[in-house]
Structures are given as C-alpha cells and as structure tokens.
Amino acid sequence: MSYIDIQNVWQRYGDHVLLERLNLQVDEGEFCTLVGASGCGKSTFLRLLLGQETPSKGRLLLQGAPLRAEPDASRGVVFQRYSVFPHLNVLDNVAIGLELPRAPLWGRLFGDAKREARAHAEAMLQRVGLGQALNKYPSQLSGGMQQRLAIAQALIARPRMLLLDEPFGALDPGIRKDMHALLLELWRETGLTVFMVTHDLSEGFTLGTRLLVFDKVRVDPQAPQAYGARITYDIRLNQDRRAVREEAMAALAHVQQRAGAPFTETLHAH
C-alpha cells in the first residue's frame, strides 16, 4: 500500500477547473519536486495535501485512510515568504510550535515543561545552523537565516510530511546552494516525505527522487478555464541517493533498537 494515494482528484472554483484527473501514488520517504507553468495548480496541490482545501472531486489517502481535511502537526509547511513571528525571537519562534499544542488556552508552558520545550527548540536550531542567533529577532536575520528558521519551525513538531512552496526562490544562488545541502541532510536524517514546488527545473532535478510535471493536456481557446492541469510526467530521479538514505536509516534504526532508545527521539535530540 502506498503511503500517499491520490485518486482522480479535481479542483475547481466555479467554472474554473484548475486541476483534473490527478492520480499519484507516493511511498514514504520520497522527495517529490513539482514543476510547471505559473498558475497551473502546483501550490493548490500543496494546499490539498496540507488540508487547507478539500478536493472538488476524488480522494486523498494517507496509508489507506482519508487525509485529514485540516492542517495538523503531521504536516509541516515552508513558504517562499518567511512565515515567522516578527515579535518573537528565534528561540521562541520555534519553541511556540511545541507550546501551543500543549497549552492552547494560554499559548505558553511553564516550569519544567517550558524548559523542555525550549531545550528541544534550541537543539533544532543548532541543527539548522542558528545556534548563535537564539536571541535575535527575524528582522535581524538575513534571508537565508530566516528560511532556516522557517524550516526549524516546520520540523519541530516532528511532521511525517514536509510541504515546501518555492522556499528558496528569493535567495541568492550561493545561499540557495547551502539550503539545498541542509534540506537534503534533514531529509536523509528524518525520513520525511517531501513535496516541493519550484520554478527552477535544475533545482527539481537535483533535489528530488521524483520530478512531477504539471501541465494542461486539453486547451479550449473559447473556454480557457474549462480544463485543468494534470501530472503529465512522473520522472524517477536520484534513485542511488534514495537507496543510500534508506540503507542508512535502516542501519541507524537497528543500532538504536539494540541500544533501547527510539530512533525518532535520538534524531530529535541531535
């Protein structure tokens, strides 16, 4: 059984058909990059996976069960525009992702629970290279640092799926390359299933284990909105890299099992 199963999904807004006949099976741990012309529904597809929207027709299944029709902690998301809280420092920006679910009324933890949440947040920030910026505010960070912060926010709740909507489009080429390396490292370590929208075809080929091309197959000049985009190409990529990651994950899981510590907890601690 596929981890994610997309069955004949359509999305329309009134008479405007944006997506049609989407059928896709994705295994857990795959890295899918999404490319296509502007306005062809790539970001809409991410919103469907996130639960911000429900399909007009068809089904989205997660391990055989309907995907929850609202965002939850199992799905992390990073946008091109940094979704950070400007009034909170770097540490609090990440710690709040652990505090809000456990203290929905006040939005804050206290005592040992707060110290534990902040320790986890600090470990995550160290992992993404922001260990020296814990007390800075987003306005004091460069674009690359703000995107590292957004990635830490998305990962702190240990999601099983990471959704990225052109996360590096506004970054300089050198910084973008560094972010590519960081993202691949985190993907290898966590086993996340990743969907990433990009307009950079080379980025899609470099990062993904699958490249999904969205395009309109049918076009009516008299009714340009009558037909939507489909996944016209599904190209397998970088299978050697995926195989190496899976072998490493299996080996580390075996080591942790023998040591008596849950693998996910060890990853989170580091």
Side-chain angles (χ1 to χ4, degrees):
M1 180 175 61
S2 299
Y3 180 63
I4 297 171
D5 192 2
I6 311 296
Q7 300 180 353
N8 193 33
V9 164
W10 293 61
Q11 190 68 334
R12 64 188 306 156
Y13 307 98
D15 295 331
H16 183 189
V17 180
L18 191 59
L19 296 170
E20 65 176 45
R21 302 183 186 182
L22 295 188
N23 291 283
L24 180 69
Q25 290 76 45
V26 176
D27 293 331
E28 189 168 14
E30 292 202 81
F31 193 132
C32 300
T33 50
L34 286 57
V35 300
S38 296
C40 70
K42 303 182 299 298
S43 296
T44 298
F45 180 64
L46 283 195
R47 289 196 294 271
L48 290 170
L49 290 172
L50 183 60
Q52 283 186 324
E53 298 186 19
T54 55
S56 304
K57 180 181 177 182
R59 300 198 303 167
L60 293 88
L61 304 179
L62 178 65
Q63 294 184 310
L67 195 65
R68 288 188 61 183
E70 60 182 19
D72 59 24
S74 71
R75 289 164 282 182
V77 61
V78 178
F79 300 103
Q80 180 176 352
R81 289 193 170 275
Y82 321 118
S83 53
V84 297
F85 299 105
H87 63 291
L88 298 179
N89 65 24
V90 166
L91 181 59
D92 287 335
N93 254 286
V94 177
I96 198 171
L98 297 173
E99 294 191 63
L100 282 175
R102 296 171 60 184
L105 183 59
W106 299 105
R108 281 286 184 265
L109 297 173
F110 301 95
D112 289 342
K114 184 178 184 67
R115 284 189 288 273
E116 180 184 0
R118 291 173 70 84
H120 283 313
E122 183 174 352
M124 177 60 71
L125 287 163
Q126 292 282 358
R127 182 63 195 86
V128 300
L130 291 179
Q132 304 301 315
L134 301 181
N135 295 315
K136 291 186 176 181
Y137 286 84
S139 61
Q140 298 173 292
L141 304 179
S142 67
M145 294 174 75
Q146 288 193 48
Q147 202 62 306
R148 288 173 185 266
L149 175 56
I151 290 173
Q153 283 182 319
L155 295 180
I156 192 62
R158 304 184 192 180
R160 301 168 66 189
M161 189 189 315
L162 181 62
L163 309 173
L164 305 162
D165 195 355
E166 296 189 68
F168 312 132
L171 302 180
D172 294 333
I175 298 174
R176 187 183 305 179
K177 186 175 181 180
D178 292 340
M179 296 303 298
H180 289 173
L182 173 63
L183 182 58
L184 287 176
E185 287 175 10
L186 293 170
W187 170 72
R188 291 189 188 102
E189 292 175 7
T190 60
L192 284 166
T193 304
V194 178
F195 291 86
M196 175 177 161
V197 170
T198 178
H199 277 102
D200 185 337
L201 193 58
S202 64
E203 184 175 68
F205 274 104
T206 300
L207 295 178
T209 59
R210 289 172 77 174
L211 182 76
L212 306 177
V213 181
F214 284 67
D215 196 11
K216 281 190 176 185
V217 176
R218 303 183 293 173
V219 178
D220 183 349
Q222 304 303 318
Q225 297 182 337
Y227 301 109
R230 305 180 194 174
I231 297 173
T232 54
Y233 293 96
D234 181 354
I235 304 170
R236 302 278 177 170
L237 305 167
N238 302 314
Q239 293 304 297
D240 290 343
R241 187 182 70 206
R242 183 185 174 196
V244 169
R245 186 193 67 83
E246 289 175 347
E247 289 176 9
M249 291 286 290
L252 287 169
H254 179 68
V255 169
Q256 292 303 322
Q257 185 178 25
R258 293 185 61 185
F263 180 46
T264 54
E265 289 185 10
T266 302
L267 286 176
H268 187 76
H270 290 81

